[in-house]
Amino acid sequence: MARPHIAAQLEDTVRRRVGARLRRRGWHERLHGYTGYGTPDHARLFARVTLSRVEPEERRTALTHAQDSLLDIAQRGWRVFLTAPAVGVRVQVRLGQAVAEGTTDRGGYLDVEVDGHGLGPGWQEAAVDLPNGDSVTTSVLIVDPEVRVGLVSDIDDTVMVTHLPRILIAGWNTFVRSEVVRQEVAGMAAMYRSLLAEDPRMPIFYLSTGAWNIAPALTRFLRRHDYPVGPLLLTDWGPTNTGWFRSGQEHKERELRRLTGMFPQIRWVLVGDDGQHDPVIYGAFAEEHPQAVEAICIRELTPAEQVLSSGLPVPTDELLGKKVEAPMLKAPNGYGLHQLLVSGRGRSGA
């Protein structure tokens, strides 16, 4: 096995020392649950374990998109990144008839798959437990096998204005500003609700390069602006075993392939923006899996937004000369995209 990158080694050393010191001061392992998803036969669940001053307590319910909480709703973003992950902790997951165990990774995260749970389509609940008695209940979306269309949506500058990847602006928005002042992209929530109205069983996934630390804030934002309920597919910032930073593009590509593998019968409406690399990512995926793509919808940033996002008034991919062969629907907001999507479907069905 190759030796981990020096960045990962340094981070692991710091985390071990901080963790050991906090444990000596009486800090405890504490669970954080995220929304999972799956089929009637197989499911994928997420959680994280961090060190906390708070004593282990009886079962809590994790904040999901379907629930609301005023806890920390106005806190500055930087606070959610001041966490001490608990590495190598055994976690038990119970979903329906199935019980599975997993171990937290170097960031304290758990990504575990469960087979044979025996639960039917719809929203279900999973129990996640630690040996110290701390436990949490998380929501799990079991997708109906008869569903044929689903939606995958980017978050940054697609449903929420963030001006990524402009580092200083994105950093200010993420770490300093209160989450309650974040702006939504016009018409996106209405578009998603309209698509869901066609088939209430349609799964919606929110795929982003954002860190799991901000999952509760994203969940509250989506709820405040009336977006349909759906699992978040986020990542973990920082060093990896191969480099200083993990690739957001690889994360999106990997999650799209996993969704296709778990739901081979579903054709996806892929929604993103032209401020990052969504056109190239979605286009390459459509070329690789043409049977898995219903449509690609790209929200066009204004020249001013492009300048704030990348420093130039044109999309980054166009500047780099990246070509996308797959057809795409493009509009500046959700209202325009929905109109194009509906008219496009009408022509294809004629």
Side-chain angles (χ1 to χ4, degrees), residues 280-302:
V280 170
I281 295 172
Y282 291 164
F285 179 76
E287 292 178 11
E288 183 181 351
H289 303 280
Q291 78 290 346
V293 178
E294 175 79 3
I296 299 176
C297 300
I298 299 298
R299 183 229 167 189
E300 296 177 301
L301 274 64
T302 65

Side-chain angles (χ1 to χ4, degrees), residues 22-43:
L22 292 178
R23 290 178 187 276
R24 287 196 297 270
R25 292 189 172 189
W27 286 44
H28 308 275
E29 295 165 356
R30 186 170 174 82
L31 272 167
H32 307 270
Y34 309 113
T35 303
Y37 67 92
T39 71
D41 301 314
H42 182 80

Side-chain angles (χ1 to χ4, degrees), residues 238-282:
T240 70
N241 287 333
T242 58
W244 285 96
F245 301 101
R246 64 190 66 245
S247 170
Q249 186 167 335
E250 290 179 3
H251 163 68
K252 287 190 172 182
E253 293 169 349
R254 182 173 59 253
E255 293 301 328
L256 286 173
R257 288 193 293 268
R258 291 192 71 156
L259 288 175
T260 300
M262 184 173 288
F263 308 108
Q265 81 282 6
I266 291 182
R267 291 175 59 83
W268 299 96
V269 176
L270 307 176
V271 187
D273 65 87
D274 63 1
Q276 300 184 61
H277 302 290
D278 290 337
V280 170
I281 295 172
Y282 291 164

Side-chain angles (χ1 to χ4, degrees), residues 38 49 55 60 62 75 100 114 141 158 171 204 206 213 303 310 316 345:
V49 183
E55 293 276 356
R60 294 166 284 118
Q75 71 177 8
V114 180
L141 174 62
T158 299
I204 297 180
Y206 296 92
N213 302 63
S310 62
T316 303
R345 283 178 166 182

Side-chain angles (χ1 to χ4, degrees), residues 101-120:
E101 289 191 348
T103 303
T104 57
D105 63 14
R106 51 187 300 275
Y109 294 97
L110 178 76
D111 183 345
V112 64
E113 299 188 2
V114 180
D115 293 315
H117 55 76
L119 298 175

